């Protein structure tokens, strides 16, 4: 751990005392875990406190922890991760909030960082995470008739619906997936000269 991030970690524990659940330095970056109830309070502090001065949110993404390291996950299934940047101090802070339920819900941080708008829409589209207070929460990568959230680990590989053009209705329609699931099996070559006894010796002698 660098001396700079060691001091930043100590500052986070002091300035955010009582608001955060965990603060650690991992992968050369400060990671802060916060509960959904304190998310906005911590976001405003990370933006406005001169010690942090995180003027920008560089990314907002969802995580599905339904399985983790090949083992069942026992805590809240989803997390939202915010990657914050301080131009003033040239440091980055990773903020993480866990949420469960169906749908999983966290507060929108648009009032803190307006650039989170499309990031939150993407996390909603791909993971089904609802951002309470978002002014226009709708799909951004998939289309309006898409069923499900494709980055969830239980989403079927073939999807839930398929699109085709109906000449009678003269428009695009959605219908259940018609792809039949198949199991890929390795091809077994039963006759191969390379495995015939003596073949290699005969070829070498020639």
């Amino acid at each position: 751990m660098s001396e700079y991030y060691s001091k930043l970690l100590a500052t986070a524990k002091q300035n955010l005392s009582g608001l955060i659940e965990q603060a650690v330095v991992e992968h050369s970056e400060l990671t802060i875990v916060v509960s959904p109830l304190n998310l906005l309070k911590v976001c405003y502090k990370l933006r406005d406190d001169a010690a942090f001065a995180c003027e920008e949110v560089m990314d907002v993404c969802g995580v599905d922890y339904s399985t983790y390291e090949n083992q069942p996950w026992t805590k809240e299934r989803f997390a939202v991760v915010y990657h914050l940047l301080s131009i003033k101090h040239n440091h980055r802070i990773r903020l993480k909030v866990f949420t469960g339920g169906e749908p999983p819900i966290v507060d929108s941080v648009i009032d803190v960082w307006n650039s989170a708008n499309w990031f939150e829409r993407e996390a909603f589209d791909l993971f089904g995470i609802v951002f309470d207070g978002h002014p226009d929460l709708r799909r951004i990568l998939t289309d309006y008739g898409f069923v499900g959230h494709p980055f969830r680990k239980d989403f079927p590989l073939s999807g839930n619906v398929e699109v085709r053009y109906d000449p009678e209705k003269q428009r695009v329609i959605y219908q259940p997936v018609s792809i039949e699931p198949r199991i890929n099996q390795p091809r077994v070559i039963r006759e191969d000269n390379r495995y015939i006894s003596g073949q290699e010796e005969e070829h070498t002698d020639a």
Side-chain angles (χ1 to χ4, degrees):
M1 183 190 305
S2 69
E3 182 180 354
Y4 179 85
Y5 274 100
S6 178
K7 291 181 179 178
L8 187 62
L9 173 62
T11 301
K13 289 182 177 179
Q14 178 180 349
N15 293 17
L16 302 175
S17 177
L19 294 176
I20 62 176
E21 296 182 345
Q22 183 184 22
V24 295
V25 174
E26 53 185 8
H27 308 300
S28 301
E29 198 168 294
L30 175 61
T31 298
I32 297 174
V33 180
V34 62
S35 73
L37 293 176
N38 293 324
L39 174 62
L40 290 181
K41 294 178 183 177
V42 172
C43 286
Y44 278 114
K45 280 211 172 258
L46 291 176
R47 186 193 69 178
D48 300 334
D49 191 320
F52 307 115
C54 293
E55 306 98 334
E56 295 187 27
V57 57
M58 304 299 294
D59 187 29
V60 179
C61 62
V63 183
D64 181 356
Y65 281 98
S66 56
T67 58
Y68 183 69
E69 295 183 343
N70 297 320
Q71 296 181 0
W73 183 256
T74 57
K75 301 177 182 178
E76 291 89 348
R77 174 177 174 179
F78 296 98
V80 181
V81 184
Y82 307 82
H83 298 273
L84 311 178
L85 171 66
S86 171
I87 299 175
K88 178 181 179 180
H89 299 304
N90 191 28
H91 64 223
R92 295 174 182 268
I93 295 178
R94 182 187 299 111
L95 180 65
K96 184 184 294 187
V97 56
F98 286 91
T99 180
E102 190 57 58
I105 302 175
V106 297
D107 287 323
S108 172
V109 300
I110 289 180
D111 289 340
V112 188
W113 299 286
N114 187 258
S115 58
N117 191 322
W118 282 17
F119 292 139
E120 291 183 347
R121 285 181 57 188
E122 182 177 309
F124 163 71
D125 192 356
L126 301 179
F127 291 93
I129 299 171
V130 173
F131 293 87
D132 189 27
H134 192 289
D136 187 24
L137 193 63
R138 55 193 169 93
R139 293 186 181 274
I140 190 171
L141 296 176
T142 62
D143 55 84
Y144 300 115
F146 194 87
V147 177
H149 304 283
F151 274 20
R152 290 191 175 193
K153 292 181 178 179
D154 55 3
F155 185 81
L157 293 179
S158 58
N160 295 307
V161 294
E162 64 184 25
V163 182
R164 71 174 178 84
Y165 179 77
D166 189 313
E168 294 182 0
K169 297 181 179 179
Q170 296 185 349
R171 64 178 176 85
V172 171
I173 66 170
Y174 295 88
Q175 63 185 32
V177 173
S178 60
I179 300 175
E180 294 184 5
R182 66 178 185 178
I183 300 176
N184 291 328
Q185 295 180 343
R187 181 182 177 189
V188 178
I189 302 176
R190 301 191 180 280
E191 295 183 5
D192 192 317
N193 291 337
R194 291 175 297 175
Y195 304 111
I196 298 178
S197 178
Q199 183 72 27
E200 184 176 350
E201 290 80 358
E202 293 175 6
H203 178 74
T204 304
D205 294 341

